[in-house]
Structures are given as C-alpha cells and as structure tokens.
Amino acid sequence: MAKMKTGCAILVACALVVGTSLGSHGNAQTIAPCRPGFSQSFYTVFVPRGVLQGLNIHKDTLLSSGHVKFETCQQIEEVSFESSDPKFSVRPDGSLYAEQHVTNLTEPIQFMVTGRDSAGKYIWETTVKLALAGHLLSPPVNQFAGDGIYGGSSHNHYQNPRLITFPRQHQRGSSNGLRRQKRDWVIPPINVPENSRGPFPQVLVRIRSDQDKEIEIRYSITGAGADQPPNDVYIIDPVTGKMSVTKPLDREERASYHLRAHAVDINGNQMEPPIDLYIYVIDMNDNRPEFKNQVYNGSVAEMSKPGTSVMQVTAFDADDSTTANGLVHYRILSQTPHIPIPNMFTINGATGEISTIATGIDREKVSQYTIIVQATDMEGSLNFGLSNTATALISITDINDNPPELDSKTFQGEVPENAVGVVVANLTVRDKDQPHTPNWNAVYRITGGDAMGHFAIRTDEVTNDGKVIVVKPVDYERNDAFTLMVVVSNQAHLASGIPSSPSSSAAVSIKVLDVNEAPVFPSNPKIIRFEEGVPADTTLATFAALDPDRFIQQTIRYSKLSDPANWLKINRTNGRITTTAVLDRESPYMKKNVYEATFLAVDNGSPPATGTGTVQIYLIDVNDNVPVLVPQEALVCERSRHGYPVNITASDLDSEPNAGPYVFELPSYPSSARRNWTISRLNGNYAQLKLRIPYLEAGMYRVPILVSDSGNPPLSNTSVLKVKVCPCDENGDCTVLGAVTVAGLGTGAIITILICIIILLSMVLFFVVWVKRREKERQTKPLLIDPEDDVRDNILKYDEEGGGEEDQDYDLSQLQQPESLDHIMSKPAGVRRVDERPVILESQYPVRPTVPHPGDIGEFIIDGLRAADNDPTAPPYDSLLVFDYEGSGSTAGSVSSLDSSSSGEQDYDYLNDWGPRFKKLADLYGGGGED
C-alpha cells in the first residue's frame, strides 16, 4: 500500500449538520444571546479520497481547515483544544489534523474535542465524526461485527466488554492558591447500532475503579436514558459495573445519550469523580425515502429547448444524511405517452430537478405527460438501497404556434337598406391552439371596401367566428353592393420561428336589398312666423315630403297627427297647411310663443311607409289684451294720518312692448272718486292709492281706476278696487269692531249669530247626554224587551177540551208518561204499552249566564236545540211503544187488504234530512231495498 508524504495539506469539503445537538437531533437551533463555546455540539467531516493512500491517512495530514469553530463572544482571550483520540488533534484556528498514522477508514471514527480557557475555569466539549466521502458502506448485516459496538474488535464483546477505568487524578497548585484537576485522558464515545435484535439487556462496557481491590465499590449511572426520561434505557450492575442497553434503539427518535458514571463505597461516599459517557446511536438503513407529495404538478411550454427546467421533486430520508443511508438518488422509471420518443425528460439524480432532454414537445399532439420518479437511498444502490416512487404530471402549456385560418376565401351576405345591428355574414375560422386563450382568440379587421364605416366585425366568444354587422345604415339608392376585405389574426403574437403567416384574409360580398322607405320632410321641424289673430282659412305654408325611393313612382298622402288646439288642417294631396281658427298667442296651448303640430306623409308602397314631420308656428304678439288692476281689494284706515297707502299694479296677457309701463288714473265720474282719493305713481308698473281727505267714514267703497298699457295704440281698462275703510289703532291696524262694521253687520245681526251658536252648542250637549244614558241602560238591562213580555222558560196551560161523544170514556192517562210501571205490570194479560228510558248518562245542556247579553239569546237557543236533538235520554225514547187495546168491532174495514207494494220504488232518503229523531225510521226504510 502506497503511503502519503508527510505534511501534505489538503482542504476537505465537508457537510455540517447545522444546529444539531445531543439532546434534540435534527431540530432547528433557537437564536439566543452569544455564549462562549463550540458553534455545534456535533461535527461531521467527510474525508476526500484524495488525502488517502488506499484507505489510510498519513501522519500530519490536514483533514479540515477551520472546521471546528469556537465562539469567544469577546469574553474568552485564549482557548486550547484537546482530542480524546490521540490520533487526531485540533489546532487553535479550528483546523483538524491527523497526528498519527490511521490505517483503516472504512468505518466512521468519532472522538471528543474539549476546549478550555487559559484560566482553567471553563470547559467546553463537542464531538467530531470522520467519514469517508462517497464511500458506500457494506450491508448492515456485516456492519457491526457480532458485538454490536461500532468500531469494536472481532472478539465477543458481550462476554468480554470494553473496560473503562476511572482516570487517575493529579493535584497541581497555582499562584493564586486555586487547585484544579486534570484528566489523563477523555473517555472515547460508545457507539451502539440502532434496531439491534438482542438478546436484551446487551452489555456495552464495564466501568471499574482502581480502588475496588481495597474497598467494596458500588457503581451507578445518571442522566437522560438512565434515571431521567427516557428512563431505564441503560442500566448498570452496581457490583460488577457492567453497563447494558435494555431495548432496541432508534436513531431517528434519539441519536445520542450523555450519561455520568459514579463510584461510591457501601456507605455512599464518593470514591471517584464522575466520568462522562457519550453514547452514539449508529444509523441503520431502516427508512425509505419519502416524497413530500405523491403527485407533483409541473408545466413546460411547447417547443421548449432541451435543458429547460420543468419542476423539482423532493424526497426525505429519516436516516443519517451524513452516511449513504440518508443519501437519496433520483431516477425516472417511465414516461407516458411515448410521443414523440420515450425519453423526453431527464432528472438530476442528486437534486430531483426534472428538465427536458429532447425537442418536439407539441401541445396539439400531447397535452400532458405522466412520469414515474423513483427515489433510492444508499446513493441509489439498487442492491442495498430502499426505494419509493411518486408521480409527476407535466402539463404542456400552449404557445401561439398555429395562426388562425379562415374556412373560405370568399363569404357572401345581404342586408336590407336602413337596417342597423343586423348580422350580414358569418366568418368561420379554425385555430389549433388552446381555446379561449389569447393564442386562440381571433381578431378581425376590415382592410378595404368600407370607406364610410358602414360595417364592423365582432368576434363570437364561444365559437371564435366573426359576425359582420351593420353599424351605419346603407342606402340602396346610393350603393347596392359592397365587397369587404377582411383579415383575421390572434390576440397574441405568433411565436418566433413559425414559418406560417400570422394572419389569414378573405373577401366578403354584401348585397343591399331595396325596401320601401318612408317619405322624408326636407325641413323637419318647419318653422313658420305669423302675427297672432290670423283669421281662419289663412294659408300658412306648404309642408311637402319627398320619397327616397327614386326608382319607384309613388303617391304621397298627408294627414294630421297632432294639433292640440285644433287650429290647423292640411291638404291631403299637396301638403298645404291652412288655419281653421284664430291663432291666439295667449292660448294655453302655446309654449314660449310657439305652437307645435305634427303631420304624417304616407306613400302607396307595399307595405305603405309613413314619415312624420313637425311644424312650429311662432306667433308675434299684438296688443289685443287690456290691462287688469291688481289687487282687487284693499284695506284703508278711516283717518288719513293712520295706516298706510295701498300699492297697486296691473297685469297684461300681452308681452313687451304691449304691456307695461302702465298709466293709472282716477276717472272724472263719479266725482267722489277724485274728491276722496288720490293716486301717485311710484314707477312704470306700480302706483299708490290713498285718502285725499283727513277722514272717511268706515265702510266698503268701490273706487274706479283707469289703467292703460303701452301698446300702439294703447288699450285702457277701468277696474274697480274694493276698498274697506275701517277704524284703526295707533299702529295703523284695523280694530275687530271696525272690521265687523266694515263687513256690513249691525249689532242686531251680531247678537243673532251669537244666539244661533249657543243653541247649536246646547243641541250637541243634549245629544251627548242622551247617548251616554242609552249606553248605561243597555248595560243594566239583560234584554231588549220588557220583563213582562219575556216568555222564556214559562209553561202556559190552556183549557183542555174533551173528546167527542163516542170517546168520552177514553182513559187519557194511558197517553201520559207513567211515574212507575207497577200499575202496568199489575194489569191483566193483554196488550200493554211499555215506554222505557235508556239507562245512560244524560247529555249536558248549555248553561245560560246569570245576566246574558241580549245578543247571546239566539245563540243560546240554537245550542239548546242542538243538545236536545242529540240527547237519547229525552222523550220520545227510541224504544218499542205498545199502546192499550181499544177494543173490537170497528166499523172500519180491515186494512190488511191494502197492498203496500207499488210498481214504482219509493225514495225514503229524505228521512235522513229530518234529524236524529228519525234516524231509526230512515235506517228501516232507507235500507229496505237491500233486504
């Protein structure tokens, strides 16, 4: 075997298990304040094969540069490192060196590294694990040679367990008087494989004190796994010191244990300082890789180049990722479908990234691929590794690699003239891209043949077809046909590298159909100006319409559609408009001096077409309305020094300049007008009327006033103003008595009115008292009739008349209800009457209230009648009645000769309507026909 030269320094590429700890393997480390110590409690260093000679490591070989990191936190000045394995050392900068020749590295090597400060006050510890990079471990069955201890010897370890002796202690003084202990060595860690099959307990090591020859020693262990949860995983024989494991271990549950061994005498006195035991669970390949998802979804665009990343699948293995047990390798097992070739995709064995490997991906041929991916641990070894599979669904996304193609190069259509919004032609198109995407959606454009913009093309969102519609009416008389040039393309640009044209074109021939068009009035509305007062039969204008159908000779007839005031008429043939009444500008039918009428023009086409025209007549005002005084009544104090003058104005239906300003005058007749009153002008529209004399007796006065407008010639009107003159108080307000006096009522009239008011109030009061008295009587009287007229529950006995001459000796007592049956039973044998009362509970009759309301009498009687009709205990009883024998020798003939039968059937169903008392009879006769 070749050997490496001394002093070779080669950096080692290492993978750290960041944030792991002996207590909680694999969990993320919580960020905490800086504390001096190793950055990790467990370091893993992969030794590359380049530093080996065969499987050996030469002395002074640099295994890792700065791998073991120590945080001083600016609190520790100097730290020294010691290794529990003398073959390896850690330099102050954290570099790991081989101090001795290492002969075999086929299995991982673990050792402890201890850090101490210069004062000896603090001690820190960590574990370093060396493994050969890329080395495939042997199968688990041969990994632990019989004894179950990783790196153990070949002899039977359970019969001769490894001996751990308590280290000797040396006392060494210092200048400050402090004394500290120094260990001769550090106990190497104990390696235990997981999933051991036993038998249990399995002896791991034997702990011994050098003083056991002199005194009797008792051994014990403490820590998590011994006397702390999980309890009793490890036990120790207190006499022999053999430490054993009691059950199979699971590295994925707990990767390491830290115990302390104690040695005491039989009295419990400590004989040796406790020693630290580090137990590491060696990983076995007992976990399959597990995919994060069973189904992965990815996508790639069609026509993608080889090497395009598609998706990534990830599998996790719970085994130790620093060994081959946890190193996962990926491969593709199958691809469906095999179009165009079976291997369209590849996968990165280390990362699980799937990418394309070939060209020819076409969504229009294959829209989705299904790939089965396998993940295998042991670095992909199919002989020793465990595998698992997952499915990757790769969808092929569409790109615009297929331009739209019109089904034909020419399309035909026709449209009636003047139609708007109708579909003229349907342009069908084909596109192989994914429907309802920008790569498939068609965009139509008209490139020629429609200079005036009569047509447009809208895309059908469902079928992608183009609908040619009319947006502006076409006129057959101007253009009877159109030829449109149409181009269709996609919303999205055509993908690069496609040799086809991005668009398709076609011609659309459209024929315009002639229809009968309605006559058109050239000026609509037609405005006519005239002075008001135009007499009837005056011609205003000729309102004629034109027929747009120039190629057809048609006759037009006119009629009136709307004429609110009925002022106009139109000639049926030529459309001449004349008046039928005087046009009045002040008419309520006028709107802002304009009168509006509507006329119809109808041709004789098939079918006839009708046009509508409007005439607006603007009437010029003339002075034909006199002004009217406003207001019509006023109130003035009888003394001129009191009160206020009356402001007056005028209104005129005419407009300017035939209205104001107005002239107000008092006429010369009657003379009292100018003698008692005077008018002064305020402005062009207002004047004031006031008393000329100091005092005028209270009363109603009619004052004539002459009002003239400003027309040419002006119109005048004499209006009478009713002025009420009344006594006023100092504030100029009419007093109450004065107002009554002005109204023309004397003292006698006032008294008469007051008496009438008093009489009316008295009648109302009397009526209210009478109504309350009637209500009180109604509440106290139980009936609306007098008590002596009440015949309820009274037995009226009338005189009985005897029978005829022939039946004076008839015993009437036989027809009455007997008190008992004794006298009947004692009669001689013969015919006798038996009227028996049913022995059942008597019916409950309604109870009448003590003081019933008069309205309840009828209801009470009806309830009692209903109860009596349905009471079987009330006479006559429903029993066989046998009457007394009345003798023989009747002069009447025998009735036995009467024939009760008849040729016709007698209907006795009416007996059912007679009530409960006739129920037996109705049953006998109603059912006789069936017997």
Side-chain angles (χ1 to χ4, degrees):
M1 180 182 295
K3 297 183 179 180
M4 296 180 60
K5 294 182 179 181
T6 304
C8 64
I10 301 176
L11 285 174
V12 179
C14 59
L16 300 182
V17 183
V18 180
T20 59
S21 64
L22 295 177
S24 57
H25 182 73
N27 296 328
Q29 187 175 6
T30 304
I31 298 176
C34 182
R35 294 180 180 178
F38 291 101
S39 61
Q40 297 176 206
S41 59
F42 192 93
Y43 293 92
T44 301
V45 178
F46 288 105
V47 180
R49 296 181 180 271
V51 304
L52 301 180
Q53 291 185 351
L55 293 177
N56 301 331
I57 302 177
H58 205 277
K59 180 181 177 181
D60 296 331
T61 300
L62 175 64
L63 302 179
S64 174
S65 177
H67 187 82
V68 180
K69 296 182 180 180
F70 188 88
E71 299 290 346
T72 62
C73 298
Q74 299 181 355
Q75 300 178 15
I76 308 300
E77 295 181 357
E78 183 180 353
V79 179
S80 60
F81 301 106
E82 294 181 4
S83 172
S84 61
D85 192 335
K87 297 179 182 180
F88 305 98
S89 66
V90 179
R91 305 293 169 86
D93 60 352
S95 299
L96 183 63
Y97 279 82
E99 297 294 338
Q100 299 179 13
H101 183 74
V102 180
T103 58
N104 191 359
L105 199 62
T106 57
E107 305 295 344
I109 298 176
Q110 292 187 171
F111 54 90
M112 299 290 299
V113 176
T114 304
R116 292 182 175 85
D117 65 338
S118 58
K121 297 174 58 178
Y122 302 102
I123 297 177
W124 299 273
E125 293 179 343
T126 187
T127 302
V128 177
K129 177 179 180 180
L130 292 178
L132 183 61
H135 179 63
L136 182 62
L137 298 179
S138 57
V141 67
N142 298 325
Q143 185 175 0
F144 307 104
D147 57 2
I149 304 299
Y150 196 99
S153 60
S154 60
H155 65 277
N156 192 332
H157 192 81
Y158 301 117
Q159 297 178 358
N160 300 305
R162 177 175 127 197
L163 180 63
I164 297 178
T165 306
F166 283 91
R168 297 184 302 278
Q169 306 295 323
H170 300 276
Q171 302 295 329
R172 185 172 60 182
S174 60
S175 59
N176 54 8
L178 297 176
R179 303 179 65 84
R180 64 185 179 92
Q181 296 177 344
K182 180 180 178 182
R183 298 179 182 176
D184 287 346
W185 65 83
V186 176
I187 305 299
I190 304 170
N191 298 320
V192 182
E194 64 173 336
N195 303 327
S196 175
R197 296 182 180 180
F200 294 101
Q202 289 182 352
V203 179
L204 301 180
V205 294
R206 180 186 175 210
I207 299 174
R208 177 177 175 274
S209 174
D210 293 339
Q211 303 182 40
D212 60 353
K213 297 179 181 180
E214 302 173 0
I215 58 176
E216 189 174 354
I217 303 296
R218 294 291 182 265
Y219 303 97
S220 64
I221 55 175
T222 59
D227 61 344
Q228 299 177 15
N231 298 82
D232 300 330
V233 177
Y234 301 97
I235 59 176
I236 189 170
D237 190 318
V239 176
T240 63
K242 292 183 179 181
M243 188 180 74
S244 307
V245 60
T246 61
K247 61 180 181 179
L249 302 180
D250 187 357
R251 190 201 67 84
E252 287 73 37
E253 180 178 347
R254 191 180 183 100
S256 61
Y257 297 87
H258 180 197
L259 304 178
R260 304 198 77 181
H262 306 270
V264 297
D265 59 10
I266 58 176
N267 295 323
N269 299 318
Q270 178 177 325
M271 302 305 298
E272 299 283 357
I275 60 174
D276 293 317
L277 302 177
Y278 291 95
I279 303 174
Y280 295 105
V281 182
I282 303 303
D283 184 44
M284 302 278 291
N285 190 20
D286 58 344
N287 291 280
R288 293 179 179 272
E290 295 292 339
F291 282 94
K292 193 172 183 180
N293 301 308
Q294 279 302 311
V295 178
Y296 290 84
N297 292 284
S299 62
V300 64
E302 59 179 334
M303 297 183 64
S304 295
K305 296 180 179 180
T308 302
S309 177
V310 179
M311 61 192 301
Q312 185 176 14
V313 297
T314 305
F316 297 94
D317 197 315
D319 293 324
D320 189 357
S321 61
T322 63
T323 66
N325 297 336
L327 296 179
V328 180
H329 183 80
Y330 303 91
R331 64 171 53 88
I332 293 178
L333 295 182
S334 65
Q335 168 195 308
T336 306
H338 296 174
I339 299 175
I341 60 175
N343 300 318
M344 293 293 294
F345 302 93
T346 184
I347 189 170
N348 187 306
T351 64
E353 181 181 10
I354 300 175
S355 57
T356 60
I357 196 175
T359 60
I361 298 177
D362 190 351
R363 189 202 65 85
E364 286 73 36
K365 295 180 180 178
V366 178
S367 61
Q368 187 182 70
Y369 289 92
T370 301
I371 293 178
I372 305 301
V373 179
Q374 184 185 59
T376 306
D377 58 15
M378 299 295 292
E379 295 183 308
S381 173
L382 297 179
N383 295 326
F384 306 116
L386 303 177
S387 301
N388 211 338
T389 61
T391 302
L393 301 178
I394 302 177
S395 300
I396 309 302
T397 59
D398 184 48
I399 65 172
N400 191 15
D401 57 342
N402 295 280
E405 297 180 4
L406 289 167
D407 290 341
S408 176
K409 289 297 182 180
T410 59
F411 293 89
Q412 306 292 330
E414 59 183 22
V415 57
E417 63 174 333
N418 300 322
V420 177
V422 297
V423 177
V424 178
N426 185 43
L427 310 181
T428 55
V429 68
R430 300 186 309 273
D431 197 318
K432 297 180 181 179
D433 291 320
Q434 186 173 359
H436 308 292
T437 63
N439 300 329
W440 178 83
N441 295 337
V443 178
Y444 296 88
R445 292 180 294 112
I446 298 176
T447 59
D450 186 22
M452 302 300 295
H454 292 283
F455 302 96
I457 304 178
R458 296 178 183 173
T459 305
D460 190 313
E461 296 181 356
V462 178
T463 63
N464 213 27
D465 294 342
K467 307 292 183 181
V468 181
I469 62 174
V470 182
V471 295
K472 185 178 179 180
V474 294
D475 190 357
Y476 173 82
E477 285 71 26
R478 294 184 179 181
N479 198 342
D480 60 352
F482 293 87
T483 301
L484 308 180
M485 299 304 297
V486 177
V487 175
V488 60
S489 58
N490 288 127
Q491 285 183 355
H493 295 290
L494 192 66
S496 60
I498 304 300
S500 303
S501 174
S503 61
S504 178
S505 60
V508 182
S509 299
I510 301 174
K511 180 182 178 181
V512 181
L513 304 179
D514 186 23
V515 297
N516 184 27
E517 299 178 77
V520 177
F521 291 93
S523 57
N524 192 9
K526 185 177 182 63
I527 298 176
I528 304 173
R529 292 179 179 272
F530 265 89
E531 286 189 350
E532 66 172 328
V534 175
D537 296 328
T538 300
T539 299
L540 298 182
T542 298
F543 196 32
L546 302 177
D547 192 347
D549 298 314
R550 295 176 297 173
F551 303 110
I552 304 175
Q553 296 296 328
Q554 297 183 130
T555 303
I556 299 177
R557 293 291 182 263
Y558 302 93
S559 62
K560 186 171 59 174
L561 177 62
S562 173
D563 184 12
N566 200 23
W567 287 346
L568 308 173
K569 65 179 180 180
I570 188 170
N571 188 284
R572 183 173 178 78
T573 58
N574 57 20
R576 185 171 58 248
I577 299 174
T578 57
T579 61
T580 59
V582 177
L583 305 185
D584 185 7
R585 192 196 67 85
E586 289 74 32
S587 171
Y589 298 103
M590 298 293 296
K591 305 297 181 183
K592 296 182 180 180
N593 299 334
V594 176
Y595 181 77
E596 190 170 280
T598 307
F599 299 92
L600 299 178
V602 184
D603 62 18
N604 60 346
S606 179
T610 303
T612 304
T614 302
V615 173
Q616 294 179 346
I617 304 174
Y618 182 81
L619 295 180
I620 302 172
D621 184 40
V622 297
N623 193 15
D624 57 348
N625 292 279
V626 297
V628 178
L629 187 67
V630 178
Q632 301 292 326
E633 295 181 355
L635 192 65
V636 177
C637 293
E638 61 183 1
R639 299 186 184 276
S640 60
R641 69 175 182 271
H642 295 156
Y644 303 96
V646 179
N647 293 330
I648 58 176
T649 184
S651 65
D652 196 329
L653 295 177
D654 295 324
S655 61
E656 301 294 341
N658 297 320
Y662 302 102
V663 177
F664 301 91
E665 296 176 307
L666 291 173
S668 58
Y669 181 83
S671 59
S672 60
R674 292 187 176 182
R675 183 177 65 249
N676 297 334
W677 306 94
T678 180
I679 291 181
S680 59
R681 183 175 180 178
L682 295 178
N683 52 38
N685 294 324
Y686 288 90
Q688 282 188 346
L689 174 69
K690 57 184 177 180
L691 286 174
R692 180 185 292 273
I693 58 179
Y695 172 79
L696 183 63
E697 184 180 359
M700 180 67 71
Y701 295 88
R702 299 172 63 85
V703 180
I705 298 176
L706 180 63
V707 183
S708 302
D709 59 19
S710 298
N712 186 18
L715 296 180
S716 300
N717 178 36
T718 300
S719 299
V720 177
L721 178 63
K722 295 180 180 180
V723 181
K724 299 177 182 179
V725 180
C726 64
C728 296
D729 55 17
E730 294 181 355
N731 296 326
D733 298 325
C734 243
T735 60
V736 177
L737 182 59
V740 174
T741 304
V742 170
L745 298 177
T747 305
I750 296 175
I751 295 175
T752 303
I753 293 174
L754 293 176
I755 293 175
C756 292
I757 294 174
I758 293 174
I759 293 174
L760 181 61
L761 293 176
S762 300
M763 292 177 63
V764 172
L765 181 61
F766 175 77
F767 178 76
V768 171
V769 172
W770 180 79
V771 170
K772 289 186 175 293
R773 181 175 178 274
R774 292 291 297 174
E775 183 67 24
K776 186 176 181 181
E777 291 178 354
R778 179 184 298 178
Q779 295 177 357
T780 55
K781 291 180 60 177
L783 296 175
L784 295 177
I785 59 178
D786 295 335
E788 56 271 14
D789 295 334
D790 188 7
V791 295
R792 296 179 302 164
D793 299 337
N794 292 333
I795 299 177
L796 303 179
K797 294 186 65 176
Y798 297 91
D799 292 337
E800 296 183 357
E801 296 183 358
E805 291 81 359
E806 297 182 0
D807 57 0
Q808 292 293 329
D809 297 334
Y810 185 78
D811 187 5
L812 296 177
S813 64
Q814 300 299 322
L815 300 179
Q816 298 176 355
Q817 173 68 32
E819 297 296 335
S820 66
L821 299 178
D822 295 340
H823 67 288
I824 297 176
M825 302 300 295
S826 61
K827 293 181 64 176
V831 181
R832 60 185 180 182
R833 172 178 178 268
V834 180
D835 191 3
E836 298 181 356
R837 179 175 181 173
V839 184
I840 60 176
L841 295 177
E842 296 185 359
S843 300
Q844 297 295 327
Y845 286 84
V847 180
R848 187 182 67 181
T850 305
V851 183
H853 191 275
D856 297 337
I857 295 177
E859 185 178 354
F860 176 80
I861 294 175
I862 293 174
D863 293 342
L865 178 61
R866 186 182 301 109
D869 286 342
N870 295 279
D871 185 8
T873 63
Y877 307 124
D878 191 9
S879 60
L880 179 63
L881 302 181
V882 181
F883 296 92
D884 286 346
Y885 180 71
E886 297 182 359
S888 60
S890 174
T891 57
S894 174
V895 297
S896 61
S897 61
L898 297 177
D899 187 5
S900 60
S901 63
S902 61
S903 59
E905 292 295 335
Q906 179 68 32
D907 185 9
Y908 295 101
D909 291 340
Y910 62 88
L911 296 176
N912 294 321
D913 301 332
W914 287 12
R917 296 185 181 279
F918 294 90
K919 183 176 184 301
K920 179 67 69 176
L921 188 62
D923 293 340
L924 292 175
Y925 281 86
E930 298 177 358
D931 296 334

